[in-house]
């Protein structure tokens, strides 16, 4: 009876006193979630822990507009279905989430529904965030509540018919959403499980590194198999195939260097991944970065390399490749080396570089056209940049030099055509 | 530092001297404060040119400051003035506007802010020499139509709004015809008093 009464009191506390609930819930939940809290930052300081986790989830990337107030939303996010605008997640009571309870926040993260039951567009990665523990969700909520409110009304989405009908999300959810917190795999180490929790959950890596089908979803079996990011026209390579960005034959140090600093002995991040390292991954603790590396390395499946296949006739290919060598020796060899060996970590090697050889040549072509800087990070605050060659090289020369680096020095990529190079000249840059 | 800003060289030249493309400006010798403001504006998307926005998006502000200082310190020679195809009349109109402005239309002389030698002033006012007419008219056009903005009070927007298309053509042509001054260095901060408030040059 005594216990019964306590439970009722507890329930009342939660329903009538959201503030007390806020304080108590994480404490209760954290006991069950201890396994995943091993590397927790901030200890008992829930706000500090929440700040860390919000970074791990890269909330800022979408919920802050350029030159806008932090977490006040309003960032335009082009999708194949129209324009979405991110929402205000500051503690403002009128336009933000100031009236929400920790329960509301958890339900939103976990189920992809607003507190009133309304459906959330899956641009919000709730299919990943559903894996986040209650304790972590509460910490993020406590952090957001601790920030100054910004009164800024959410902007209406501009979606085309029929996508402007939110009921369609129900269909998407049936196909692509399975609700549920991360379940540790008891056969794996705590470190591996922590890495999996971060990669599959807050890190929402699968949002880009999975093929997006025409319905804007990713099916479970395709998780982390790579895909062209809609609207951005960057290719997010597969994290499971060693022919792409599978990290099976990378050392743990090279993986953690890449995630934490943006550069490594094996390669450098550019494009959308530069954003992720800049806003999110560089802030993770060494333990968490290593856990992600251990997990990522483990999911890479060694795959036999198929023979390179090209749509181009052999004669055209050999002409391109021989022109490509001329361009390479004149423009690229000073930094990337005559044998494509590079000068790591700042000038990445091109020989035996998966991102050059992989089936999609989109990223290699874009790098030649637009160049790029790796992100400025604490570990690499003054990165070296690759010059853009769009104005210096013709379509044919771009195709030639990309064909050359994809096939020279034992690389097993296929040549690309001038048309492919030309098409990417109009790809959106940011 | 030169190796770190190699990415700038295809469009702006190794020392920021400019290249054959008439729309890409010379960077060398412009005050570091001005260059830093532009780098920040491109990084934050206030100034819109996707290839620049893309390159700078994830670089730290102290690093942008360093890049600005690097190009501010470069002193490659100014290019020889390009032959112009505008009429003498247009050139004279340009000279009048650059040197005296048009008080009746509240247009100040370019030199009243950009310096008597048009080499700018530390920290935020750029020199106007060594720029091609296409670049100058594109920027003045950008201000007139509000696609280029700066910190309030946005003095260049106020000035450009009073210019006609013909004014812009004349000013751009005259500026590009100017020979290099003996010293291309910007005037030190506070060397002269600005005729009106400007957000990019506080005080």
């Amino acid at each position: 009876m005594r216990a019964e009464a306590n439970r009722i009191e507890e329930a009342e506390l939660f329903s009538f006193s959201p503030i007390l609930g806020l304080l108590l819930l994480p404490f209760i939940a954290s006991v069950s979630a201890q396994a995943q809290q091993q590397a927790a930052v901030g200890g008992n300081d829930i706000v500090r822990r929440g700040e860390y986790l919000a970074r791990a989830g890269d909330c800022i990337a979408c919920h802050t507009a350029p030159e806008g107030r932090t977490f006040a939303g309003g960032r335009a996010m082009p999708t194949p279905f129209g324009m979405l605008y991110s929402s205000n997640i500051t503690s403002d009571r009128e336009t933000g989430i100031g009236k929400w309870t920790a329960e509301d926040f958890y339900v939103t993260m976990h189920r992809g529904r607003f507190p009133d039951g309304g459906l959330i567009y899956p641009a919000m990665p709730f299919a990943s965030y559903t894996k986040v523990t209650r304790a972590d969700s509460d910490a993020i909520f406590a952090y957001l509540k601790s920030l100054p409110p910004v009164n800024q009304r959410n902007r209406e989405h501009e979606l085309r018919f029929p996508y402007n009908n939110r009921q369609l999300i129900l269909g998407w959810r049936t196909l692509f959403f399975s609700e549920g917190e991360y379940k540790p795999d008891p056969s794996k180490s705590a470190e591996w499980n922590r890495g999996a929790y971060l990669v599959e959950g807050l890190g929402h890596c699968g949002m880009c590194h999975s093929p997006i089908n025409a319905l804007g979803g990713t099916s479970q079996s395709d998780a982390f198999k790579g895909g062209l990011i809609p609207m951005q026209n960057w290719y997010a390579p597969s994290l499971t195939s060693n022919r792409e960005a599978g990290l099976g034959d990378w050392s743990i140090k090279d993986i953690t260097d890449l995630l934490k600093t943006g550069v490594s002995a094996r390669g450098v991040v550019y494009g959308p991944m530069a954003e992720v390292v800049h806003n999110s991954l560089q802030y993770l603790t060494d333990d968490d970065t290593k856990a992600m590396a251990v997990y990522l390395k483990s999911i890479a499946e060694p795959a036999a390399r198929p023979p390179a296949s090209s749509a181009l006739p052999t004669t055209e290919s050999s002409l391109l490749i021989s022109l490509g060598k001329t361009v390479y020796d004149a423009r690229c060899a000073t930094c990337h080396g005559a044998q494509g060996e590079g000068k790591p970590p700042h000038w990445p090697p091109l020989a035996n570089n998966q991102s050059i050889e992989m089936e999609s040549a989109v990223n290699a072509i874009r790098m030649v056209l637009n160049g790029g800087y790796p992100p400025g990070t604490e570990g690499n605050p003054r990165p070296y940049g690759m010059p853009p060659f769009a104005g210096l090289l013709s379509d044919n020369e771009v195709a030639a030099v990309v064909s050359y680096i994809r096939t020279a020095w034992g690389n097993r990529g296929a040549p690309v055509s001038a048309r492919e190079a030309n098409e990417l000249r109009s790809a959106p840059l940011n | 530092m030169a190796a770190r800003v190699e990415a700038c060289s295809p469009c702006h030249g190794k020392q920021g001297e400019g290249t054959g493309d008439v729309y890409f400006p010379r960077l060398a010798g412009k005050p570091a404060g001005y260059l830093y403001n532009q780098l920040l504006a491109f990084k934050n998307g206030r100034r819109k040119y996707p290839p620049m926005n893309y390159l700078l998006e994830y670089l730290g502000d102290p690093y942008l400051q360093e890049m600005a200082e690097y190009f501010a310190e470069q002193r490659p020679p100014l290019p020889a003035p390009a032959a112009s195809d505008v009429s003498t009349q247009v050139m004279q109109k340009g000279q009048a506007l650059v040197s005296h402005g048009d008080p009746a239309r509240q247009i100040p002389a370019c030199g009243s802010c950009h310096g008597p030698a048009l080499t700018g002033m530390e920290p935020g006012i750029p020199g106007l020499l060594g720029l091609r007419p296409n670049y100058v008219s594109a920027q003045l056009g950008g201000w007139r139509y509000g696609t280029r903005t700066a910190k309030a009070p946005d003095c260049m927007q106020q000035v450009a709004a009073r210019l006609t298309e013909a004014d812009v053509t004349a000013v751009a042509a005259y500026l590009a015809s100017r020979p290099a001054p003996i010293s291309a260095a910007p005037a030190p901060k506070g060397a002269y008093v600005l005729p009106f408030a400007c957000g990019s040059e506080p005080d």
Side-chain angles (χ1 to χ4, degrees), chain B:
Chain B
M1 196 61 198
R4 293 180 195 270
V5 295
E6 187 67 37
C8 316
S9 65
C11 303
H12 298 284
K14 286 228 179 260
Q15 287 184 283
E17 70 275 16
T19 56
D21 192 302
V22 294
Y23 287 102
F24 298 145
R26 174 187 178 88
L27 307 175
K30 286 184 176 171
Y34 168 78
L35 292 175
Y36 178 62
N37 285 345
Q38 305 318 306
L39 289 168
L40 270 190
F42 280 122
K43 171 182 162 170
N44 297 330
R46 170 193 284 270
R47 224 182 135 174
K48 288 180 186 61
Y49 182 62
M52 281 294 290
N53 303 134
Y54 157 76
L55 280 174
L56 303 178
E57 202 167 359
Y58 304 114
L59 298 181
D61 295 353
Y63 191 39
L64 297 182
Q65 177 73 43
E66 234 186 296
M67 290 179 170
E69 281 161 14
Y70 172 80
F71 284 112
E73 285 159 12
Q74 304 304 309
R75 290 286 183 274
L78 283 164
S84 176
D85 52 6
V86 303
S87 68
T88 321
Q89 207 182 358
V90 170
M91 201 58 100
Q92 279 166 356
K93 181 189 173 81
Q95 177 176 17
L97 280 168
V98 169
S99 315
H100 310 294
D102 186 347
R105 290 191 286 152
Q106 291 186 298
I107 298 169
C110 301
S112 62
C113 292
H114 292 276
L118 301 173
T119 55
M121 179 162 72
E122 303 275 2
I125 302 178
L128 301 179
L129 301 176
L131 302 171
R132 260 73 57 99
N134 309 57
Y135 174 75
V136 173
S137 50
Q139 299 313 307
L140 287 171
W143 262 301
R144 290 174 69 211
Y145 297 112
T147 52
R148 182 169 173 182
T149 62
K151 271 181 237 159
D154 191 346
C155 46
M156 272 314 297
Q157 187 154 46
Q158 295 167 18
V159 174
R162 294 167 197 156
L163 299 175
T164 64
E165 295 267 352
D167 294 337
V168 169
T169 309
V171 166
Y174 178 72
L175 286 173
S177 76
R178 294 296 76 211
I182 298 157
S183 165
K189 180 174 162 63
Y192 46 86
V193 178
L194 301 185
F196 49 86
C198 192
S200 302
E201 184 84 358
D203 300 321

Side-chain angles (χ1 to χ4, degrees), chain A residues 327-349:
Chain A
V327 176
Y328 183 86
D329 289 342
R331 306 272 191 185
C332 320
T334 352
C335 294
H336 291 288
Q339 297 303 312
E341 69 277 18
K343 287 182 249 170
H346 296 298
W347 291 274

